[in-house]
Amino acid sequence: MGAIGIVVRACAPLAPAAAAAPAPSGSSSRDAAQAQRWSKPTRTGRVLVLGGTGRVGGSTATALSKLRPDLGILVGGRNRFDREKGESIAAKLGGQSEFVQVDTRNAGMLEEALQGVDLVVHTAGPFQRAEECTVLQAAISTKTPYIDVCDDTDYSWRAKGFHEQAKAAGVPAITTAGIYPGVSNVMAAELVHAARSENGEPERLRFFYYTAGTGGAGPTILTTSFLLLGEDVIAYNKGEEIKLKPYSGALNIDFGKGVRKKNVYLLNLPEVKSAFKILGVPTVSARFGTAPFFWNWGMQAFANFLPVEFLRDRNKVQKLVQSVDPLVRAVDGIAGEHVSMRVDLDCSNGRNTIGLFTHKKLSV
């Protein structure tokens, strides 16, 4: 949520500057629309939260509203079936908020929805197997600041491919800005920076994550987890890229008070590639675990016995998740929403540091 808050605040000072600089002759209608959007500093800011009827998007909308009560929150849902829930969420956010129906696969609908919007927050997962960055492209086209909670390696690097376009358009755009990856990346970057400031060269970086049940995130995080079981795990060992079996390589990690020791397993997560390429750490891996223990058994069974073709098919996986959703909700009620992130860094000078973050509620 911190990253989102920074983006919202960063947008606000643009109003006076934009008002002072008239659009040059021959500028596009989109440029004019952006200038008009930022030329009224007294106007209520508007944020579109895509996937706003889901647990992640709904939590995001609520947090943004608390951070900036003056914001108008547009709760975006994919279809008419989301309307009732979306209108209920919007009503709780205040009179300036409303539900809007937006198909994230439809570029024209997205561009229309982004008119007059100061920030779009894309939480409409799962991001796995998505072939295009339609929302990001629409945001660049309409000059709308963008942030997402992507947790897929391919999607995140496809998004990074639009860096120059976003830069040329003057559009702030941040990808993989959830809790993990997101906050976890910031933790890793700070550990690496601190180590180098004390003449230590990072040699190995390991991400460990634990979430009780689905952390209250429900079907989306479960769908994501199943889809990740269909991907080889990309890790790095002394500068070499290696491929490992998903949900293998179990380690028992101590997450400290409130969580204690939990088993975690290898998954293909985008922060691994980022840490290797951007932070320059030669050995990097990421592991994830959940509770109760039989969820881990189930994940291992799916990874070992379900055909890879099935696990890579979004439609089939989503149907499977729908069939087990009642069980998931029941387990969530017992397991709670605890979440914990631990980042371990080993350096050449013998320095070993740990970053740890734990919270009772993932949704918060």
Side-chain angles (χ1 to χ4, degrees):
M1 292 300 97
I4 293 175
I6 290 168
V7 173
V8 174
R9 287 192 289 271
C11 291
L14 292 175
S25 60
S27 63
S28 70
S29 59
R30 286 173 183 152
D31 290 335
Q34 182 194 41
Q36 184 178 19
R37 180 164 72 221
W38 289 343
S39 66
K40 300 176 182 179
T42 58
R43 177 180 73 74
T44 299
R46 284 159 59 86
V47 177
L48 171 60
V49 180
L50 295 171
T53 59
R55 297 195 193 182
V56 176
S59 297
T60 300
T62 300
L64 278 171
S65 182
K66 289 179 179 178
L67 178 73
R68 286 278 301 271
D70 59 310
L71 287 176
I73 308 290
L74 303 180
V75 180
R78 284 192 175 101
N79 50 53
R80 58 187 177 85
F81 301 109
D82 291 332
R83 179 172 294 279
E84 183 177 350
K85 185 175 182 181
E87 289 178 345
S88 175
I89 293 172
K92 294 176 182 177
L93 299 177
Q96 299 178 111
S97 299
E98 61 182 295
F99 171 79
V100 292
Q101 183 177 327
V102 188
D103 185 345
T104 55
R105 298 164 298 182
N106 187 317
M109 184 180 286
L110 279 167
E111 291 192 11
E112 183 178 350
L114 290 173
Q115 297 303 317
V117 168
D118 301 291
L119 172 70
V120 56
V121 184
H122 184 10
T123 72
F127 292 87
Q128 284 72 21
R129 311 293 182 272
E131 297 296 328
E132 297 181 355
C133 300
T134 313
V135 178
L136 174 58
Q137 290 174 270
I140 294 172
S141 179
T142 57
K143 297 184 181 294
T144 306
Y146 166 97
I147 190 167
D148 69 40
V149 295
C150 164
D151 52 5
D152 180 65
T153 303
D154 290 343
Y155 188 98
S156 67
W157 284 88
R158 192 178 302 121
K160 292 174 193 288
F162 289 93
H163 174 75
E164 292 301 330
Q165 289 184 38
K167 186 177 176 182
V171 178
I174 304 176
T175 187
T176 59
I179 184 166
Y180 59 82
V183 176
S184 58
N185 302 47
V186 177
M187 291 169 64
E190 294 216 353
L191 289 179
V192 169
H193 174 75
R196 286 182 172 144
S197 69
E198 297 183 12
N199 300 317
E201 187 54 36
E203 290 190 331
R204 182 174 68 166
L205 184 66
R206 294 180 295 171
F207 296 91
F208 303 117
Y209 306 127
Y210 165 79
T211 300
T214 69
T220 299
I221 195 170
L222 197 58
T223 300
T224 294
S225 299
F226 285 172
L227 288 169
L228 285 172
L229 296 179
E231 298 181 8
D232 288 330
V233 174
I234 302 300
Y236 296 89
N237 183 36
K238 297 180 179 179
E240 297 293 325
E241 180 181 300
I242 56 175
K243 290 184 179 181
L244 303 167
K245 186 177 177 60
Y247 233 71
S248 64
L251 291 178
N252 189 247
I253 299 299
D254 191 346
F255 288 95
K257 186 178 179 180
V259 176
R260 301 303 180 187
K261 291 186 175 182
K262 301 293 179 183
N263 285 341
V264 290
Y265 307 81
L266 288 162
L267 274 181
N268 189 38
L269 298 173
E271 53 269 48
V272 172
K273 188 172 182 179
S274 294
F276 175 75
K277 289 186 172 291
I278 308 301
L279 298 181
V281 182
T283 299
V284 193
S285 63
R287 285 174 169 84
F288 167 83
T290 185
F293 64 89
F294 56 77
W295 271 150
N296 288 320
W297 288 357
M299 295 285 281
Q300 287 178 302
F302 283 138
N304 289 326
F305 301 114
L306 280 180
V308 173
E309 293 75 16
F310 179 95
L311 292 169
R312 291 179 178 175
D313 188 316
R314 268 177 65 136
N315 292 328
K316 290 181 179 178
V317 167
Q318 285 176 322
K319 287 179 181 178
L320 172 63
V321 169
Q322 287 173 4
S323 68
V324 300
D325 187 48
L327 174 62
V328 172
R329 292 180 186 273
V331 171
D332 276 358
I334 300 170
E337 290 187 37
H338 254 102
V339 61
S340 189
M341 303 182 290
R342 174 173 157 169
V343 183
D344 289 23
L345 179 67
D346 302 330
C347 297
S348 56
N349 61 358
R351 174 191 172 110
N352 302 307
T353 54
I354 295 174
L356 184 64
F357 174 88
T358 299
H359 199 283
K360 291 182 178 180
K361 285 185 173 289
L362 173 63
S363 57
V364 175

